[in-house]
Each structure stands twice: as structure tokens, then as C-alpha cells.
């Protein structure tokens, strides 16, 4: 990934210094120190983010873009500063290309509804991959149903990657493929997908590209211009920000052509009872009062991440992944689902004769939080012939000692269950 | 054994039994043992229509009327869940529908597995209890 010019020196990455900024890491669970390995579901929040939200409520709470009064101006400025921080972080051309949403799910629903209306006709094709989260499947199924279009799926290999050749063929051979919607990083497998390459191919064919970046934003240097995608959705809460926040990035030219998704206050220019005209970007897509406090918190989370060298964070998470992979594989009957070469710190596994629910419960007893089940990727579970997995997903505040605690916890649980 | 006890006594019996354990590991090992001791469900009853909805693992629960009492058999593909359903079967099995419907469920809190067995979607405990009560209700309106 391209590195961006850093105007200020980055803080050096020191995991203990990082940990000290996350109040929740001092919590005990069942009397044991919390080991939080469910960052794929939602990451924990540094104190700065928590404080930014409460300071907003305590000092400048007011509705945005409405009042002439001082607080409203301040709240608006703070919200728009967050938008600019996000623009910079993902290297969008314009701040108004970043639409605030309640999360990835909302972003993809907006994309699928609006793009469906703009682009899809009976017989058209939407391509997704076989590793998508339900959030990047169901909205497209609904759009296809509404417009008589067809959903096609890129098959997944045994290692948990796209079948590159079949992906290329799908894109090149389908005359009426209109939309390609793919995840940047798989939440279940950890696979970092070669999205840039496929997007370039799709572009040549005039296909509109949508990327689900939910699992990428906290771990990779996301540069939307470099990726060349048309739309890119992510959630704030998976990137050290508050829940209920998210962003849908869209290229200005495309966003201007897309019809609005939800109607209401803030998104209009003029309203008569016969017809309304739309506000300019990004407000056309931001009906109603946004999650102002959350957005300000998200801006803080982004600038918190910007304070560090993202590659140092990624390198730390990679060390955790490698260590966990090696240690877990030494457990008898354990199999890792998702063995791609390029992975973020996500490790999904199954153990012969051990149900993931039992394992998750017994790990929880030891203060270790992992995710168990199908991870909202049921088609992918079917692909691998499992009903679910146990998943550990790392963040920058996790440590080798925590990985060791999990491995010991798994061994203890397996002993109890066999 | 349970048939000689009232439902409330069977609940108290379990509460007393679990009170012996001070350590989570012992408690869970006991729960797993209870699951292992659960009588096998007849293969013809281990069918999708007997699956309890709302559990992360699969739980089969079958009920039939025998001598005016509700007879439960159950199974699960996860051991802890099987232990949980075994607890419930021990308390509610071979009871009159009215006794099942009228029973308090606070023994679950008192058993000391409260924080782990609190009704949540993942372990489906409340889903299992609801299902047992639905069976009891169905039989009570028939009799
Ligand atoms: C790959 C992926 N896409 C989409 C989502 C949905 O994100 P949210 O629930 O924040 O809308 C998730 C969250 O688990 C995810 O991992």
C-alpha cells in the first residue's frame, strides 16, 4: 500500500504505551484480566475517543447545519473537521465524498439501493465473492430482486482466497455485469484481497466497483484513489471509533448521479408538496440528524491512528498472527480456516471433536473474548463444510502474552471437552 | 429419582449439588458430565422439527405424553449446551403440564452458573425453557 506524506512525526509504537490508553483493558472478566480478541466484531476505544464524545455532549451539543447560534456552529465545525480527517486518512479527493452512515451495513444498503436504481435492468449482473459478510450479500440480493438482475459469485479456494482466474473470467466475459461488490479484507478468514487488480479490470469494462472495507480500515493503509474504487464502505467502531458510525466514500462524479436513499431533513434543497430537489453532496445522502457525537469520536479515532505509524501497528499485529498460528497449529486436531499468504491479524479455527460454542464458553471463563459461530458468513461456512469456527481477531493493543494465554486456554478447554 | 421429588425439590437438589463447587472448572466439568449422562434421544426424534431455535449449537428437544406426564428427551452437538439441557430435563421431565407451567425458573440464578447461564441468545437456555413450556401448554390444553 502507498504511504502518505506525514506532516508531523509519528509516535513510536510501544504496545504498553498503547495499552495504557485503553481503559477497558484494566477490566476483569470472571476475575481474570480481560484478553480481548474480538476486534473483528468491534475494537476497543482509546480514552481520547471516549473523551471526545463526552466533551461534545458536555460543551458543544447542538444540532448541525441548522442553527445560527454559537453551539450549532461549533458542533458543525467539529463534525466537518472529522469529515476532513477522514478524507485525509483514506486520501479521498474531496471531503464531501465521505458520507456519514451508521456503519458498513448502512453504507452498503445505500450503495445497493441507489446504484440499483441508477444502473440495474432486468438480466444485468452483480458480482460478489463467496467470502462476503451477509452485509455485502443481502443488500445485493434485494437490489437484484427489485430490478430483475442476477447475482454471481466468485468462488473461494481452499486457502480462502478468490479464485483469481475465475474472478477475471467473470468480470471479462459477462457482457452485462454492472456492479462488482467485494470485501477488502475477509472478517472470517483474514484474507487481504487483491482488490486493486480486480477493480482495474472492472473499470476497463465500465463496471461500477463497491468495496466493503469494514475489516481493512483499522489494519491497512486505505487509499481510495490508489485502489480506484467507486465506493468504499467502512464502520467507525471497528477502527477504534464509536459504534453507530461509519463512512461511505464515493467518487464525486458517481455520487452526483446517484439518487438519494433516504428522504428527510438536511438532504433537500427545496421542498414543495409536489417535488423536492436535493441538497449538494454529501448532504443529499445524509437525511436526518446524524450521530454527531459519534462522528466527532470517529474523527478522534482517525487522528489517534494517524499519530502512529500504521505500518508499525500492522507489523505488530502480524507478529501476533504468526505466533498464534504457530502455537495453535501445535494443538492436536486443530485446523485453521483461512491460510492465505496475505492476511490481517485474524485467525479462524476448528478443532476435531470440539464445538466452537463450548470452546468460546470455556475461553470466556478464563477472561478470553473470542467470537464463535458463522461470523455472518454462512455461504463461506458451507464452502468449508463447517457449522462455525472460533475466531481470534487482533488489534494493535494485543500482546504475545495474551496470545499465549489464549493458547493455554484452548488447551485447557480441549482437555475438559475430550 | 426425580419422580419422587417435587419439581421445586429437584431444583433445590441441583442448587445444592452445584453449591459444592467453588471453581469454574469443576462446575463446568460437572455440567459436561451431566450432559454425558443424559439418556440418548431416539434417532427418529433427532430431527429438524425438534430443533430449538435461538441456540448457537444445535439442540433437539422432544416431548411426549406418558401417563399424563410430559416426557422429555434431548440432545445437543455441543457439550455445555447438552449439560444445560440435561439440567432442564432433570427438573422438568415426567411432570404434569400444570406443574411445569407453574414452576419458577429462578433456580438457574441460584445454581451459581448464573452469569454463564443467563438467558442469552448464544446458549439458548431461555429458548429451551420456552420450548419446554410450550410443549407443556400444548398438552395441558389437550387434557
Ligand atoms: C466484512 C464486514 N462487512 C460488513 C460488516 C458489517 O459492519 P457493521 O455491523 O458495522 O455495519 C462487518 C462487521 O462484522 C464485516 O466484518
Amino acid at each position: 500500500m502507498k504511504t502518505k506524506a506525514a506532516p508531523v512525526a509519528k509516535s513510536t509504537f510501544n504496545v504498553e504505551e498503547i495499552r495504557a490508553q485503553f481503559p477497558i483493558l484494566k477490566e476483569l472478566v470472571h476475575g481474570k484480566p480481560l484478553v480481548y480478541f474480538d476486534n473483528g466484531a468491534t475494537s476497543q476505544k482509546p480514552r481520547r475517543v471516549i473523551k471526545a464524545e463526552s466533551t461534545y455532549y458536555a460543551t458543544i451539543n447542538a444540532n448541525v447545519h441548522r442553527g445560527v447560534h454559537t453551539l450549532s456552529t461549533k458542533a458543525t465545525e467539529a463534525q466537518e473537521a472529522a469529515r476532513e480527517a477522514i478524507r485525509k486518512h483514506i486520501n479521498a479527493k474531496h471531503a464531501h465524498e465521505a458520507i456519514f452512515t451508521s456503519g458498513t451495513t448502512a453504507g452498503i444498503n445505500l450503495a445497493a439501493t441507489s446504484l440499483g436504481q441508477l444502473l440495474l435492468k432486468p438480466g444485468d449482473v452483480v458480482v460478489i465473492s463467496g467470502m462476503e459478510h451477509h452485509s455485502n450479500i443481502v443488500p445485493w440480493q434485494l437490489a437484484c430482486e427489485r430490478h430483475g438482475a442476477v447475482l454471481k459469485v466468485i468462488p473461494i479456494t481452499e486457502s480462502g482466497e478468490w479464485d483469481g482466474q475465475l474472478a477475471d473470467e467473470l468480470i471479462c466475459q459477462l457482457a452485462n455485469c454492472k456492479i462488482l461488490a467485494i470485501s477488502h479484507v475477509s472478517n472470517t478468514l483474514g484474507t487481504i484481497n487483491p482488490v486493486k487488480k480486480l477493480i482495474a479490470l472492472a473499470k476497463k469494462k465500465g463496471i461500477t466497483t463497491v468495496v466493503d472495507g469494514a475489516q481493512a480500515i483499522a489494519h491497512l493503509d486505505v487509499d481510495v484513489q490508489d485502489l480506484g474504487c467507486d465506493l468504499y464502505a467502512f464502520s467507525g467502531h471497528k477502527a477504534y471509533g464509536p459504534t453507530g458510525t461509519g463512512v461511505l466514500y464515493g467518487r464525486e462524479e458517481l455520487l452526483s448521479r446517484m439518487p438519494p436513499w433516504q428522504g428527510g431533513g438536511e438532504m433537500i434543497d427545496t421542498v414543495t408538496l409536489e417535488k423536492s430537489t436535493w441538497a449538494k453532496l454529501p448532504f443529499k445522502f445524509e437525511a436526518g440528524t446524524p450521530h454527531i457525537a459519534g462522528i466527532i469520536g470517529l474523527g478522534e479515532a482517525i487522528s489517534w491512528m494517524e499519530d502512529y505509524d500504521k505500518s508499525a501497528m500492522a507489523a505488530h499485529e502480524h507478529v501476533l498472527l504468526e505466533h498464534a498460528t504457530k502455537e495453535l497449529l501445535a494443538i492436536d486436531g486443530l485446523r485453521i480456516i483461512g491460510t492465505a499468504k496475505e492476511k490481517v491479524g485474524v485467525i479462524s479455527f476448528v478443532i476435531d471433536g470440539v464445538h466452537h460454542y463450548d470452546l468460546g464458553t470455556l475461553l470466556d471463563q478464563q477472561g478470553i473474548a473470542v467470537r464463535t459461530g458463522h461470523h455472518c458468513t454462512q455461504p463461506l461456512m458451507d464452502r468449508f463444510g463447517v457449522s462455525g469456527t472460533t475466531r481470534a481477531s487482533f488489534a494493535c493493543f494485543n500482546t504475545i502474552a495474551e496470545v499465549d494465554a489464549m493458547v493455554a486456554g484452548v488447551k485447557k478447554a480441549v482437555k475438559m471437552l475430550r | 429419582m426425580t419422580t419422587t421429588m417435587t419439581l421445586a425439590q429437584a431444583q433445590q437438589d441441583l442448587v445444592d449439588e452445584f453449591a459444592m463447587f467453588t471453581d469454574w472448572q469443576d462446575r463446568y466439568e460437572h455440567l459436561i458430565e451431566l450432559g454425558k449422562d443424559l439418556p440418548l434421544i431416539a434417532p427418529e426424534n433427532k430431527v429438524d422439527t425438534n430443533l430449538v431455535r435461538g441456540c448457537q449449537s444445535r439442540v433437539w428437544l422432544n416431548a411426549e405424553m406418558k401417563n399424563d406426564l410430559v416426557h422429555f428427551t434431548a440432545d445437543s452437538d455441543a457439550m455445555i449446551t447438552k449439560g444445560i439441557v440435561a439440567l432442564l430435563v432433570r427438573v422438568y421431565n415426567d411432570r404434569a403440564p400444570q406443574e411445569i407451567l407453574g414452576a419458577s425458573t429462578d433456580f438457574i440464578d441460584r445454581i451459581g452458573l448464573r452469569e454463564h447461564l443467563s438467558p442469552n441468545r448464544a446458549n439458548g437456555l431461555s429458548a429451551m425453557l420456552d420450548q419446554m413450556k410450550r410443549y407443556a401448554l400444548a398438552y395441558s390444553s389437550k387434557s
Side-chain angles (χ1 to χ4, degrees), chain A residues 357-358 365 372 412 417, chain B residues 25 56 79-81 116 123:
Chain A
Y357 170 76
D358 289 335
Q365 286 300 311
T372 61
K412 183 177 239 176
L417 291 165
Chain B
Q25 209 171 326
Q56 204 179 83
M79 299 178 95
I80 291 168
T81 317
H116 333 303
N123 68 37

Side-chain angles (χ1 to χ4, degrees), chain A residues 40-41 103-106 108 133 135 183 185-187 212 214-215 235 237-238:
Chain A
T104 309
T105 305
I108 297 173
H133 187 281
S135 287
S183 52
V185 171
S186 158
N187 63 310
D212 171 353
Q215 296 294 334
S235 305
H237 70 95
K238 293 182 198 283

Side-chain angles (χ1 to χ4, degrees), chain A residues 356-393:
Chain A
H356 51 80
Y357 170 76
D358 289 335
L359 181 56
T361 304
L362 296 180
L363 284 176
D364 175 61
Q365 286 300 311
Q366 302 172 71
I368 301 159
V370 293
R371 176 87 182 267
T372 61
H374 54 62
H375 317 294
C376 299
T377 54
Q378 285 181 12
L380 191 63
M381 296 293 104
D382 294 342
R383 158 67 184 83
F384 284 97
V386 295
S387 66
T389 73
T390 300
R391 180 191 72 181
S393 50

Side-chain angles (χ1 to χ4, degrees), chain A residues 170-200:
Chain A
L170 261 184
I171 296 300
C172 293
Q173 287 170 6
L174 289 169
N176 44 1
C177 175
K178 295 291 159 65
I179 299 167
L180 171 70
I182 44 177
S183 52
H184 197 168
V185 171
S186 158
N187 63 310
T188 303
L189 308 166
T191 312
I192 303 172
N193 293 308
V195 283
K196 187 177 170 181
K197 189 168 152 267
L198 201 60
I199 287 167

Side-chain angles (χ1 to χ4, degrees), chain A residues 25 80 102 137 181 271 296:
Chain A
L25 298 178
E80 295 310 311
S102 63
I137 302 175
V271 176
I296 291 168

